Amino acid sequence: MDGLLASQEPAAFDGELDDETIANYTRGFNERAAFEHGRRVLARERHEAEWGRPSQQDAEKARCATGADGFVYWTNNWAWTFDPRCPGGQTEWPMELFPFQEAAARQVLAASELRSRVVVIEKSRDMGWSWLVCLLYLWWWLYTPRWSGLLGSEKAELVDDLTESPEGTLFGKVRFALLRCPAWMRPSGWSSWESAKRLRLDREMNLANNDTGARIYGSPMTQSFGVSKRLAVVGVDEAATLPGGGWHVRKSLTSVANLQIWWSSVRGNTSAFSHLCRQTPGVIHIRSHWSEHPWKSPAVNPLWHAVESQMMTAEDIRSELEMDHEASVKGVIFPRLRRARHFCEDAARWAEIEEDFLRSAQQYVFLGGMDFGEALSATTFVGCMWHEGRRSLYVVDYLEAIGRPVWEWARWVKDVRRKYMDTWGKWGRIYGDPSAWKRNESQTSWAWHLRKEGLRELVKANKQSDKNAIKALENAIDGRGGTLLVGPRATKLFGHLALY
């Protein structure tokens, strides 16, 4: 469809969207989609009609099984996908890889030949990655002897609902694509879905290929996900949305498989997925931006982004489309601080500032900002010295804790409190987001543990006075009539996470 759309040479969009513009855009897009669907179906029917004799079928299967070229050939000639959003009942589509998908698939397949590799796919939404991973799994299952793979998602109902419907589950997508392959391409026992179930080749979260001995397993992302298994490939669906930031999954998958595939849209910067997206040794990082999609590219379809953005907030656009990890952090007390770039690298200058903290102690207030992660998710603490008269904010300490118990965190903050009270003698408030008061499995909360350690300065940042104070700090951070400076200690701890 990229060639079809490119041939239209649409004019650049310049102006506001009105109902008529959107209607014309939608009608034109649907017409082109219908044309593309018809072209693909006709080409697929012609291709399938050529393989009538067993000798031809054996040669075709051999071609499909040959490495990365075989996967690309098999996908473009035999695989099907499903999209319920398509108009006119054209929901079943012959799969044809776009250039960005083929390049990414080749990277994944190359990584699968090595040991202990992690591939992380950072993507804009609706880029077809769940389908692409499921087709990779099906291809391995069809053509790789004794192969085994594990597919996981946050909940069991997102992994397998025991139907052949491709809507909503990973196993549904695999079954859909498998059952639309010609009968001669499927393993023995898979003449129909009913036959496979009767022979127990298809059970809940377990697909068996008795011809090759291959298996596809499924599992929700529990604390024991993947533990005790030894697999060729493990796939982690929508990895950024996992409970607790997905750190338990990252830990449990150590040495479990030759290849891990993590794919997700962006959801904040404190998850295991977000950390893998950075320059982590041994990780193969694939970025899949919406502009690479030939149906959405500004050069081909300049209205797509404008129409898609209509019902989205600015934060959603930066997160869901532009893959901005900082934009998708919700409930952050000092959100702009995460994007600050005001570092003090001059040790002598910072020493002078600290001396001023002592000389003018009564004019400084130490303020803390705490963004609490639920369960074992990441929690951060920002310590600032605030001079109201000068409207100056100095970031003196920063801590990120991931997978640390609540009581340990509370004691660390207590030590910080003691340090700053002993040094500067004036302690202000700790602003905490509402998650601090949410109870965990043991019916305790962050706030409870902090109070237990004697930290009674913690306040929920929802009163108007607190919002005004935070607004003043953010104005300083933005440089509007104020000063922001991040000290050497905070830079060391702060820069690797928030400002990557």
Side-chain angles (χ1 to χ4, degrees):
M1 188 167 180
D2 48 329
L4 171 71
L5 289 174
S7 68
Q8 306 300 312
E9 297 184 356
F13 174 70
D14 182 19
E16 295 184 3
L17 290 175
D18 54 29
D19 291 344
E20 183 179 359
T21 301
I22 295 173
N24 290 336
Y25 163 81
T26 303
R27 183 167 52 253
F29 189 88
N30 289 344
E31 288 174 355
R32 292 192 294 273
F35 178 88
E36 174 65 9
H37 181 269
R39 181 196 68 77
R40 289 191 184 186
V41 170
L42 181 61
R44 187 62 58 88
E45 289 175 348
R46 288 173 175 171
H47 181 79
E48 292 178 356
E50 297 174 0
W51 307 100
R53 295 194 302 273
S55 59
Q56 293 176 310
Q57 295 164 5
D58 291 341
E60 181 72 351
K61 286 190 285 186
R63 181 176 182 180
C64 291
T66 308
D69 289 341
F71 170 76
V72 172
Y73 177 81
W74 173 80
T75 303
N76 288 338
N77 289 280
W78 297 105
W80 287 73
T81 63
F82 181 90
D83 190 340
R85 299 169 298 179
C86 295
Q90 299 159 348
T91 56
E92 298 188 9
W93 281 71
M95 180 67 167
E96 289 184 11
L97 293 170
F98 295 126
F100 79 92
Q101 291 174 322
E102 178 177 338
R106 289 183 181 276
Q107 280 187 273
V108 173
L109 289 163
S112 70
E113 300 297 323
L114 306 173
R115 286 189 61 83
S116 301
R117 286 292 183 267
V118 177
V119 173
V120 57
I121 296 104
E122 180 186 19
K123 68 183 188 69
S124 302
R125 71 178 185 182
D126 193 27
M127 294 292 284
W129 263 102
S130 291
W131 271 107
L132 184 54
V133 172
C134 287
L135 291 176
L136 280 164
Y137 267 65
L138 177 56
W139 180 81
W140 278 315
W141 183 84
L142 284 170
Y143 298 114
T144 309
R146 308 299 298 173
W147 180 88
S148 62
L150 175 63
L151 278 172
S153 195
E154 179 182 354
K155 300 176 182 178
E157 54 266 31
L158 298 177
V159 181
D160 192 5
D161 60 0
L162 290 174
T163 72
E164 61 175 327
S165 170
E167 299 180 67
T169 73
L170 299 172
F171 270 62
K173 289 178 172 62
V174 174
R175 288 191 189 97
F176 176 88
L178 172 60
L179 294 171
R180 275 150 188 79
C181 289
W184 54 265
M185 187 172 281
R186 289 178 243 149
S188 57
W190 281 91
S191 58
S192 67
W193 188 40
E194 290 72 19
S195 171
K197 289 189 292 183
R198 185 174 63 253
L199 296 172
R200 297 185 60 77
L201 299 173
D202 187 347
R203 294 174 287 162
E204 184 178 12
M205 301 192 201
N206 190 323
L207 301 179
N209 181 342
N210 283 351
D211 291 351
T212 63
R215 296 288 187 276
I216 299 177
Y217 303 104
S219 173
M221 299 292 188
T222 61
Q223 294 289 337
S224 59
F225 177 72
V227 173
S228 78
K229 290 186 180 295
R230 294 297 178 264
L231 304 152
V233 184
V234 174
V236 182
D237 178 34
E238 288 300 336
T241 65
L242 298 178
W247 288 98
H248 63 288
V249 174
R250 180 79 175 108
K251 182 177 180 180
S252 68
L253 291 183
T254 303
S255 302
V256 165
N258 286 344
L259 175 66
Q260 298 176 32
I261 308 174
W262 296 58
W263 72 97
S264 183
S265 301
V266 171
R267 297 287 191 283
N269 66 357
T270 59
S271 66
F273 173 79
S274 182
H275 280 238
L276 285 170
C277 287
R278 300 166 209 177
Q279 295 179 356
T280 306
V283 171
I284 299 168
H285 183 198
I286 299 173
R287 283 177 58 87
S288 194
H289 190 262
W290 64 269
S291 60
E292 296 179 282
H293 197 300
W295 297 10
K296 306 172 183 180
S297 167
V300 171
N301 191 355
L303 268 176
W304 180 87
H305 189 274
V307 173
E308 189 72 11
S309 301
Q310 267 200 318
M311 303 301 293
M312 302 173 70
T313 66
E315 179 184 273
D316 290 337
I317 292 170
R318 289 176 56 200
S319 170
E320 298 283 338
L321 298 183
E322 305 305 331
M323 302 184 294
D324 185 342
H325 292 252
E326 299 301 327
S328 55
V329 179
K330 296 185 178 181
V332 174
I333 299 302
F334 300 137
R336 296 189 185 97
L337 184 58
R338 293 177 173 272
R339 295 188 290 276
R341 295 294 192 276
H342 308 280
F343 296 113
C344 180
E345 298 179 357
D346 187 337
R349 183 188 177 194
W350 188 256
E352 291 177 1
I353 292 171
E354 289 191 327
E355 287 180 9
D356 191 61
F357 293 162
L358 295 172
R359 287 194 304 267
S360 310
Q362 295 305 310
Q363 296 172 28
Y364 282 97
V365 176
F366 185 85
L367 298 175
M370 301 185 72
D371 298 318
F372 295 90
E374 298 178 18
L376 295 181
S377 186
T379 293
T380 57
F381 175 86
V382 180
C384 310
M385 293 295 286
W386 169 245
H387 193 295
E388 177 64 35
R390 300 175 191 166
R391 300 186 63 77
S392 297
L393 184 72
Y394 301 98
V395 181
V396 296
D397 221 328
Y398 179 89
L399 180 79
E400 168 204 322
I402 297 174
R404 307 287 286 275
V406 179
W407 62 266
E408 184 178 329
W409 171 268
R411 291 184 181 179
W412 183 90
V413 175
K414 182 180 180 180
D415 290 341
V416 173
R417 177 186 186 275
R418 183 183 300 113
K419 169 186 172 183
Y420 285 105
M421 287 193 71
D422 289 347
T423 305
W424 293 298
K426 193 171 183 181
W427 177 268
R429 287 179 165 182
I430 307 175
Y431 295 105
D433 68 61
S435 295
W437 284 263
K438 185 173 181 179
R439 294 185 177 184
N440 56 27
E441 294 84 351
S442 61
Q443 296 304 304
T444 61
S445 66
W446 289 97
W448 183 88
H449 282 277
L450 289 167
R451 286 196 301 271
K452 185 179 178 183
E453 296 296 329
L455 292 165
R456 302 191 177 279
E457 295 88 355
L458 181 67
V459 294
K460 193 180 296 186
N462 58 1
K463 296 180 181 178
Q464 189 59 48
S465 59
D466 299 330
K467 291 179 180 178
N468 290 340
I470 293 172
K471 187 66 175 177
L473 293 175
E474 290 190 334
N475 286 340
I477 291 167
D478 273 348
R480 298 199 299 266
T483 301
L484 169 70
L485 206 58
V486 181
R489 173 175 169 77
T491 298
K492 182 179 179 182
L493 299 170
F494 183 63
H496 81 280
L497 169 74
L499 308 178
Y500 71 93

